[in-house]
């Protein structure tokens, strides 16, 4: 609340800050993703790309504002085109910089050492032995990539393309678009609240039982399928 009051006093509303954030932190997205998923990712290149991309993005943000409006003001800096240009430069420049570093001096990380990291607390609750196997992790990785790329293509390409045939939205068509957005919000809210509660229900019941001085209910273990069952 205090931050919101301070920003409002400075003449910066949350919409302004939201659009500006891409200029400041967007350049870290691609290097961070590369460090997690690309064995050739260069650590030094990731740092240079994040900071270099941010500097280029801020310079582009200011330059486009000056070219479009002839002057740089807080209101002008909060408009669409300067922020769009800055965001695009942040993502593209950081990707190019990090790729250049990584191809010239690849780190060739094998990811094996990640499995050797010791946990501070050996809490294995809620996890089965198979959750640590390479097969299970590879399947989980494929599931994440499949739905991640699929959702990205849907929201970034397919969904905007569906609006092109309508041209300029009529009032009824725009109302329909708003209805879909609101419905999506309610479904997303339900999923991100209910599913974690469902998955953690055993832990929640255990904590509540402990608070009232009762023994935590033990979860029933399902029998592993045997060859005869298959």
């Amino acid at each position: 609340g205090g931050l919101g009051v301070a920003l409002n006093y400075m003449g910066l509303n949350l919409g302004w800050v939201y659009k500006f954030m891409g200029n400041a932190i967007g350049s870290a997205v691609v290097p961070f993703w590369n460090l997690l998923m690309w064995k050739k990712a260069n650590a030094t290149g990731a740092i240079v790309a994040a900071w270099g991309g941010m500097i280029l993005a801020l310079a582009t943000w200011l330059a486009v504002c000056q070219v479009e409006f002839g002057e740089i003001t807080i209101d002008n800096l909060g408009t669409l085109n300067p922020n769009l240009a800055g965001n695009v430069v942040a993502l593209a420049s950081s990707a190019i910089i990090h790729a250049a570093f990584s191809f010239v001096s690849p780190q060739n990380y094998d990811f094996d050492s990640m499995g050797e990291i010791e946990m501070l607390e050996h809490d294995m609750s809620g996890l089965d032995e198979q959750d640590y196997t390479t097969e299970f992790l590879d399947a989980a990785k494929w599931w994440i990539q499949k739905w991640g790329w699929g959702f990205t293509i849907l929201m970034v390409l397919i969904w905007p393309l569906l609006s092109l045939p309508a041209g300029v939205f009529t009032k009824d068509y725009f109302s329909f678009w708003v209805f879909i957005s609101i419905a999506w919000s309610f479904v997303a809210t339900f999923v991100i609240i209910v599913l974690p509660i469902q998955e953690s229900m055993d832990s929640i019941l255990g904590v509540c039982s402990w608070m009232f001085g009762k023994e935590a209910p033990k979860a029933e273990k399902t029998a592993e399928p045997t060859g005869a069952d298959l």
Side-chain angles (χ1 to χ4, degrees):
L3 178 61
V5 172
L7 292 173
N8 185 65
Y9 181 79
M10 296 167 58
L12 307 177
N13 56 43
L14 291 181
W16 193 100
V17 175
Y18 179 76
K19 286 184 287 188
F20 166 75
M21 284 175 59
N23 302 317
I25 64 176
S27 57
V29 173
V30 176
F32 184 71
W33 168 263
N34 289 341
L35 289 175
L36 292 175
M37 305 299 295
W38 189 25
K39 68 177 184 179
K40 292 184 178 181
N42 182 283
T44 302
I47 297 174
V48 174
W51 285 101
M54 183 188 71
I55 294 172
L56 292 174
L58 294 177
T60 302
W61 175 54
L62 295 172
V64 172
C65 180
Q66 176 66 35
V67 171
E68 182 174 2
F69 298 101
E71 61 177 346
I72 297 177
T73 64
I74 291 179
D75 290 337
N76 292 343
L77 288 173
T79 56
L80 176 61
N81 289 336
N83 284 284
L84 176 60
N87 278 249
V88 171
V89 169
L91 291 171
S93 62
S94 63
I96 294 173
I97 293 172
H98 193 213
F101 270 83
S102 300
F103 280 118
V104 171
S105 180
Q107 198 156 320
N108 292 323
Y109 180 57
D110 58 10
F111 293 95
D112 289 339
S113 61
M114 294 186 67
E116 300 172 359
I117 299 176
E118 295 185 5
M119 294 190 297
L120 295 178
E121 296 182 6
H122 292 278
D123 182 8
M124 312 293 286
S125 58
L127 298 174
D128 298 326
E129 289 294 333
Q130 68 169 2
D131 294 341
Y132 295 91
T133 62
T134 303
E135 293 77 11
F136 179 85
L137 295 175
D138 287 341
K141 176 184 176 182
W142 165 243
W143 187 91
I144 293 172
Q145 290 179 331
K146 176 181 65 176
W147 288 101
W149 280 109
F151 185 76
T152 300
I153 294 172
L154 173 64
M155 298 303 296
V156 176
L157 295 177
I158 299 178
W159 182 259
L161 288 174
L162 291 176
S163 65
L164 293 180
V168 178
F169 286 7
T170 63
K171 184 177 181 180
D172 292 337
Y173 193 79
F174 181 74
S175 299
F176 171 70
W177 219 247
V178 172
F179 169 77
I180 294 178
S181 301
I182 294 175
W184 178 275
S185 300
F186 276 102
V187 172
T189 301
F190 176 83
V191 170
I192 64 177
I193 293 177
V194 174
L195 288 186
I197 293 177
Q198 180 186 8
E199 294 177 352
S200 305
M201 185 57 66
D202 291 339
S203 299
I204 295 174
L205 293 177
V207 171
C208 292
S209 299
W210 179 83
M211 292 173 61
F212 290 99
K214 298 181 180 180
E215 184 179 354
K218 296 182 179 180
E220 298 181 1
K221 293 185 178 181
T222 57
E224 294 291 336
T226 62
D229 296 329
L230 299 177

